[in-house]
Amino acid sequence: MRLPVIATIALAAILSIGIAAPAHADPALAPTTTTLTVTPASARPGAVITVAATVSGDDPTGYVQIYQNGAELVRALLANGATSMTISGLQEGSVTFTAKYLGDGNNAPSPLSNAATATLSTKANTTTLFGEPRPAVAGIPSQIIVVVNGNGPTGTVEVRSGSTVIGSLAFTSTPDAQASILGVGISFPTAGTHTITAHYSGDDNNKASDSDPIAVAVGKATSNTTLTASPSTPSAGSAMTFIATVTGHNVGGNVEILASDTSLGTAPLNSSGVATLTTSALPAGDYSVTAVYAGDANNSSSPSAASTVTVTEGASSTTLAASHASTTVGSDVTLTATVAGFTPGGNVEFFDNGVLLGAVALDSSALAQLTTSSIDVGSRSITAVYVGDASNNTSTSVATIITVAKAASGTTLTAAPGTHTVGSAVTFTATVTGHDVGGNVEIFASGTSIGTALLNSSGVATLTTSALPAGDYSVTAVYADDANNTGSTSAASTVTITKAASSTALTAAPASVAVGTAVELTATVTGAAIAPSRTIAPSGTVEFFNGSTSLGTSAVSSGVATLALSALEVGSHSITARYSGDARNTPSESAMLTVTVAASATPTPTPTPTPTPTPTPTPTPTPTPSPAPAPAPAPAVPTTTTPTMPLASTGSDVLPVGIAAFLLLALGGAALLLRRRKADAAR
């Protein structure tokens, strides 16, 4: 059964019913228009509807005729160009309202206004509205204000971001209430600008409806980062584990670990917001370690509080390898040391039985190599000592044993000059090769040592000698050995020493004698000159000859040999001296020397006359030339009882014979004195 329409009209002024509008419009009047609105446009049956009219013109006054579905409903008095009225009790259905201004003394009536429709239904259309949301942060619940207009709406409101439901609320409403105001709790999944709508599901009296969309700016959640390090006091090169925990809204992304502002690396967060970084890259030292979360789409960045980590020096280890286990002194051996530790740097020192061989810096592969030829002879204990650095302790390798044998030496010999005379200086030069040769070289001539000489820094030894007798010699140089070298003997060299040429000079004192008078023969033998003012003193014997007849042999002493003779016959004798030679000097023969032996008469023995003193002569003035005086008479000879013996062959008297004998004795004495002086000079 259709309910009758009951309209209750509230007028803003007293209505005058039955006042007719002017029949004709006055051209002098102002034109007018009427605008009509109905609120709400949709409502449940019986709800209060407000109809409002606004008239434009020249300050219009008077009335406005309201029409409902084309039929006059009421006239309403204008006030300030507008009028309104409320109507209730309208039945379900659509009602169309129009209005027309009736005019006054200054304004012409208006044409019919626009049509405004009110729809009344038991399932009324509803309008869902949003209030401005509170400041939103990703992941943190927020409340959105939703207003549902309708006929006591109940049911569910969902808040959606796009097509995703981010919040919902089931609600009830007071019966006959026109609206429900809801606070819906929502949580935005991500930061950024979200366009959201509210959807009302409807109920028996209200239709479903959607709100207009609004944009909501959602900020990033505030993150928080904490850091733990284990162990807190590691050694350099050992593993350290850093664990960073980040809280926020669905945190993701990476955490970077910094040690005193130097990055150690980054690690991704897992689904629990935990990032783990393990490293052994920290050198020794004290570090302030932090974890820095960079943030992501939904969370802000955050650093952890600083943690102090002390890294101590780590243990190193050194191994040693040698290129040869046995070698010869002076040969190259390469020693290779390998150091394990935390990126070790610095030097490795190499030792031979504790004596430093050298130091070498580690390369980028932690290797140090030393090539040396300085390892001594014997069984040597070789070690490598790593001196350490800021992050690594020192370490020493296990000893490597290297057996070093002596080097084989080689000896050569030369002799200079090429021709050698006995007594002349002969220089022998021995050259020894090997490893740092030192010590002495001994020179042997046909197996007999003639001396030793010290090697110089060049391995050369020189021996000069003049002691070799004449002969042919097989000469060798023998190097005994030293700490680094074996002994060696040179090849034999043949050296010939020739005798020196001697010379012999002969003198006789006196060279003329009376038969039976002694004559001393003196042979002076001279060796060859081997240097200025130096000759080879001869030895041996001298044989004296009268012609080819040997007169006798005498030994040479200090270069002189003498022979006294008293048996030479009267006459002229050819005397020579023949030197026999010795080990150093050749034989030689003197030039021939003539010795004259005169016969002597046998005089009558007479007393030896007493010499008459010779008077001191008186100076004689220069004489006037006069005839030469007669010869002075001979001194008187004392008279003896021995008769004078006449010389049979000459007929001379005895005086000339005595004078001759005296002269021969004087000459012999002079010759003897000369011989002795020569002998003294030779000594």
Side-chain angles (χ1 to χ4, degrees), residues 118-560:
T119 300
L120 297 106
S121 173
T122 55
K123 286 188 176 277
N125 292 327
T126 62
T127 301
T128 303
L129 301 175
F130 280 90
E132 286 295 329
R134 298 174 184 177
V137 175
I140 298 179
S142 300
Q143 277 200 337
I144 299 297
I145 304 302
V146 181
V147 178
V148 179
N149 288 313
N151 184 14
T154 61
T156 302
V157 170
E158 293 178 342
V159 177
R160 299 174 179 174
S161 176
S163 60
T164 302
V165 176
I166 60 174
S168 64
L169 179 67
F171 65 96
T172 59
S173 179
T174 303
D176 297 329
Q178 293 186 357
S180 294
I181 300 175
L182 311 174
V184 181
I186 62 172
S187 179
F188 291 97
T190 60
T193 300
H194 291 257
T195 299
I196 60 175
T197 57
H199 173 72
Y200 170 55
S201 59
D203 59 13
D204 291 340
N205 296 318
N206 298 277
K207 294 181 178 179
S209 62
D210 293 300
S211 72
D212 292 330
I214 63 170
V216 177
V218 179
K220 290 185 177 182
T222 300
S223 68
N224 180 66
T225 303
T226 58
L227 176 66
T228 59
S230 177
S232 59
T233 55
S235 60
S238 63
M240 277 197 73
T241 299
F242 298 95
I243 299 175
T245 302
V246 181
T247 59
H249 174 62
N250 294 333
V251 290
N254 293 323
V255 174
E256 185 175 18
I257 307 298
L258 302 176
S260 296
D261 298 328
T262 298
S263 177
L264 298 179
T266 59
L269 289 167
N270 63 16
S271 59
S272 300
V274 176
T276 301
L277 176 69
T278 298
T279 181
S280 56
L282 278 178
D286 294 326
Y287 298 91
S288 177
V289 182
T290 56
V292 177
Y293 172 54
D296 61 7
N298 299 318
N299 298 274
S300 63
S301 62
S302 60
S304 71
S307 298
T308 299
V309 173
T310 298
V311 181
T312 60
E313 289 183 351
S316 69
S317 63
T318 302
T319 57
L320 176 64
S323 59
H324 298 83
S326 60
T327 185
T328 302
V329 66
S331 298
D332 283 343
V333 176
T334 299
L335 305 174
T336 302
T338 304
V339 179
F342 176 71
T343 59
N347 291 334
V348 173
E349 295 176 340
F350 296 88
F351 292 87
D352 171 12
N353 281 16
V355 177
L356 181 65
L357 294 173
V360 179
L362 287 170
D363 62 16
S364 59
S365 299
L367 297 179
Q369 280 191 335
L370 175 70
T371 298
T372 180
S373 59
S374 300
I375 301 176
D376 290 337
V377 170
S379 179
R380 312 302 295 183
S381 176
I382 310 298
T383 55
V385 177
Y386 171 54
V387 299
D389 61 8
S391 296
N392 298 276
N393 289 318
T394 184
S395 58
T396 301
S397 72
V398 174
T400 294
I401 303 301
I402 298 179
T403 301
V404 181
K406 288 184 177 183
S409 69
T411 303
T412 58
L413 177 67
T414 59
T419 301
H420 311 287
T421 301
V422 68
S424 64
V426 181
T427 299
F428 297 96
T429 301
T431 302
V432 181
T433 58
H435 176 68
D436 291 338
V437 291
N440 293 321
V441 174
E442 190 169 11
I443 308 298
F444 290 85
S446 296
T448 300
S449 175
I450 59 174
T452 60
L454 183 67
L455 288 168
N456 64 16
S457 60
S458 300
V460 177
T462 302
L463 176 68
T464 300
T465 183
S466 57
L468 284 175
D472 292 328
Y473 297 92
S474 176
V475 184
T476 55
V478 177
Y479 173 57
D481 77 357
D482 63 7
N484 295 319
N485 301 274
T486 60
S488 58
T489 301
S490 72
S493 296
T494 300
V495 174
T496 300
I497 306 295
T498 61
K499 291 182 178 182
S502 68
S503 63
T504 302
L506 177 64
T507 62
S512 297
V513 295
V515 65
T517 303
V519 176
E520 186 172 77
L521 301 178
T522 300
T524 301
V525 182
T526 304
I530 58 175
S533 302
R534 183 181 172 211
T535 60
I536 301 174
S539 61
T541 61
V542 174
E543 189 173 6
F544 297 89
F545 288 87
N546 180 8
S548 61
T549 302
S550 174
L551 297 175
T553 301
S554 295
V556 177
S557 175
S558 301
V560 175

